[in-house]
Amino acid sequence: MKNLIYIVIILFTVGMFQSCSDDDFPVPPASTVPQFTFVIDNDEFAPATVTYTNNSIVPDNVGTATFYWNFGDGESTSEENPTHLYTEPGAYNVNLVVTTSESLEINEITKTVVIKDPNATGVPIYFIDGVQVYQGLINTQAPIFTPLNGVVAQSSYGMVIDNVNNKLYISDYGGNKIYRSNLDGSNFEDFRIGVDAPNGMTIDYQENQIYWDTSSGIQRGNIDDTDVNQVEDFVTGQANDPDGLSIDLVNRKLYWVNYNGGVWVKNLDGTGESELIPDVEGGSMLVIGNRIFYDEYVASGDIRLKSADLDGTNVTTIAVNIGRVVYGIGYDANENKIYWGDRNTDVMMRANLDGSSPEAWFTHTGDTRGIVIGELE
C-alpha cells in the first residue's frame, strides 16, 4: 500500500511539473534567421553579376517562408536564390526579408555589396579595422572601400605604405608580427615575427629601414633583409609604451608619442634622444612638412588632435571630442588634408591641416585604424 501511495505521489508530481512547463513556462518556438552570402564576378568591376545564396534558417513549425530581395538599385525579386546584374558602380545596400505563413514572422538582414568602377582614379587610401585591411580611393566620388583579400591580422592597430617599393606593412599587436604585401594584397607574408606588441611604423627610405614600436621601446629592420628574425633595438627603456611614430626625412629625426605620456624625438644616427612635450598620452604621430601631428588624451571621450613645430613649440589644436585614442593619422598631399578615425562613432574624419573644414568622410561598422594614403594614380 505504501508503494502504491508513493507511486501515485510521483505521478502526480511529474504531471504537475509537466503542466507548469506546458502552460506557465512554454518553450518558445524556433525563429527564422535571415542569412545570405554572395559572389561577384568580373573581379567586382561594373558591370558585374552578383550570385546570392540564401542561407536563411527556417524551422519546420513556422510554415511556408517567402523571401523578398531588394537589390539596392531599385530592383527586387521573390526568388529564393537570385542573381542580379549591376550595370553601374556603387555601394548597394541589399536587403533580404523573410516572412512566414504560420508564425507570422517578418525578419530581415541587410548587407552592402560594392561594385567597383573600372575607370576610377584617385589617391589610394587604406585602413584596418583590427583584422581586415580595406582599400579605397580619394576622389570626387563618394568613398567606396573593399577588403584586400587574403590580408588578415589578429589585432592590428597600425600600417605604413612604402610608396617607393609599392608595399604595405601591417603591424599585428595580437600576433606579435609585422606583415608585408603588395598594394593589391597579393604576396601577403610575414616580414618580422616575435616582435613585442607592435603598433605604429615608419620608413626611412635613405637607409632602407622600417621602424616600429614595442611595449618599451622602438626597433628597426632592413627592408631588403628576408630574415624574419632580423631586428635591431633603436630606443630602449621607454616604460610609458611608445605607440605612434614618424620620421622627419629632411632633418633625419624620429618622433614618437607614448600611450602613457610624452612626445619624444631622436636623431636617426642614434644621438639626441629627448622628450619634447611631456605628459601627452596618445597613439598616433605623423610628420607633415615642418610640423608634427599627434593625438592627446585629455579625458574620457575627449581625445584631441594636435600639431606642433618640430621642436615641440607652438602647439595648436586641430580637433576635439574624439571618442577614443586615435591609431593612424593619414595625409593626402594632393589635397593637403589629414584623415583620422573616431573609433567610438565608426567615422573616418578629414580636415585641412589647421583643422578647418572638418567633415565626416566615411562610416565603417568597426574601427578605422592605421590610416595610410598613397600617391595619386
Side-chain angles (χ1 to χ4, degrees):
M1 185 66 178
K2 290 181 180 179
N3 290 338
L4 179 60
I5 294 174
Y6 181 70
I7 293 172
V8 171
I9 292 173
I10 292 176
L11 291 175
F12 175 77
T13 303
V14 171
M16 180 178 68
F17 276 107
Q18 287 180 337
S19 176
C20 289
S21 176
D22 291 340
D23 298 333
D24 297 335
F25 304 101
V27 177
S31 299
T32 59
V33 180
Q35 295 177 352
F36 69 88
T37 57
F38 57 88
V39 177
I40 308 173
D41 72 356
N42 197 29
D43 292 326
E44 303 180 355
F45 288 103
T49 297
V50 181
T51 301
Y52 293 96
T53 301
N54 191 336
N55 309 117
S56 299
I57 299 173
V58 182
D60 294 335
N61 61 347
V62 301
T64 302
T66 300
F67 306 101
Y68 179 80
W69 297 81
N70 185 323
F71 296 119
D73 62 350
E75 300 294 326
S76 60
T77 186
S78 294
E79 295 180 37
E80 184 171 348
N81 296 286
T83 60
H84 185 67
L85 173 65
Y86 292 90
T87 59
E88 298 295 330
Y92 298 94
N93 293 321
V94 178
N95 179 250
L96 169 62
V97 178
V98 182
T99 62
T100 56
S101 61
E102 296 294 332
S103 59
L104 303 179
E105 296 175 72
I106 303 176
N107 295 307
E108 62 182 306
I109 185 174
T110 300
K111 294 185 178 182
T112 301
V113 174
V114 176
I115 307 299
K116 296 183 288 187
D117 184 350
N119 301 312
T121 59
V123 177
I125 179 172
Y126 300 81
F127 73 87
I128 191 165
D129 61 7
V131 177
Q132 178 68 62
V133 176
Y134 294 84
Q135 178 187 34
L137 290 173
I138 300 172
N139 51 30
T140 58
Q141 302 173 6
I144 294 177
F145 283 86
T146 56
L148 288 185
N149 294 326
V151 179
V152 294
Q154 290 185 31
S155 180
S156 175
Y157 287 83
M159 293 194 295
V160 68
I161 188 169
D162 179 352
N163 285 310
V164 172
N165 301 294
N166 295 318
K167 297 288 184 180
L168 195 66
Y169 291 84
I170 306 105
S171 65
D172 193 340
Y173 178 92
N176 293 321
K177 288 183 177 182
I178 296 174
Y179 307 108
R180 177 169 61 187
S181 76
N182 295 330
L183 297 184
D184 63 0
S186 61
N187 293 332
F188 179 65
E189 63 182 353
D190 290 342
F191 174 70
R192 293 294 182 268
I193 64 174
V195 295
D196 177 22
N199 285 315
M201 294 176 291
T202 187
I203 294 175
D204 176 13
Y205 292 104
Q206 180 174 310
E207 298 296 331
N208 218 28
Q209 298 268 6
I210 182 171
Y211 290 73
W212 62 85
D213 70 280
T214 71
S215 62
S216 60
I218 295 171
Q219 296 178 324
R220 63 185 178 186
N222 189 289
I223 287 177
D224 292 332
D225 196 324
T226 58
D227 181 1
V228 294
N229 296 299
Q230 186 268 321
V231 169
E232 179 185 356
D233 287 325
F234 183 71
V235 175
T236 59
Q238 288 273 311
N240 292 327
D241 187 13
D243 269 350
L245 57 158
S246 184
I247 288 177
D248 173 8
L249 293 173
V250 175
N251 298 296
R252 308 292 297 155
K253 294 179 181 290
L254 174 72
Y255 291 84
W256 70 93
V257 60
N258 285 341
Y259 183 81
N260 291 317
V263 171
W264 289 69
V265 65
K266 186 173 185 176
N267 297 323
L268 293 182
D269 63 7
T271 64
E273 181 178 324
S274 63
E275 186 178 35
L276 286 182
I277 311 173
D279 303 324
V280 174
E281 300 179 18
S284 293
M285 171 64 65
L286 186 64
V287 176
I288 303 175
N290 60 357
R291 302 277 289 175
I292 57 173
F293 291 75
Y294 58 93
D295 64 309
E296 179 179 5
Y297 175 92
V298 176
S300 179
D302 186 11
I303 284 77
R304 301 183 181 184
L305 195 62
K306 294 189 172 185
S307 72
D309 288 341
L310 296 177
D311 61 1
T313 62
N314 193 23
V315 176
T316 61
T317 300
I318 307 301
V320 299
N321 297 324
I322 302 170
R324 298 170 66 186
V325 171
V326 176
Y327 288 100
I329 302 170
Y331 173 59
D332 175 14
N334 186 57
E335 295 291 337
N336 206 31
K337 290 182 178 290
I338 56 172
Y339 289 69
W340 70 93
D342 189 327
R343 299 189 297 129
N344 261 11
T345 61
D346 297 338
V347 172
M348 187 187 298
M349 300 289 298
R350 72 176 178 180
N352 296 326
L353 295 185
D354 61 1
S356 62
S357 302
E359 62 176 321
W361 185 66
F362 176 71
T363 300
H364 173 73
T365 304
D367 286 359
T368 50
R369 312 174 187 172
I371 299 170
V372 292
I373 298 174
E375 298 177 341
L376 181 65
E377 293 184 345

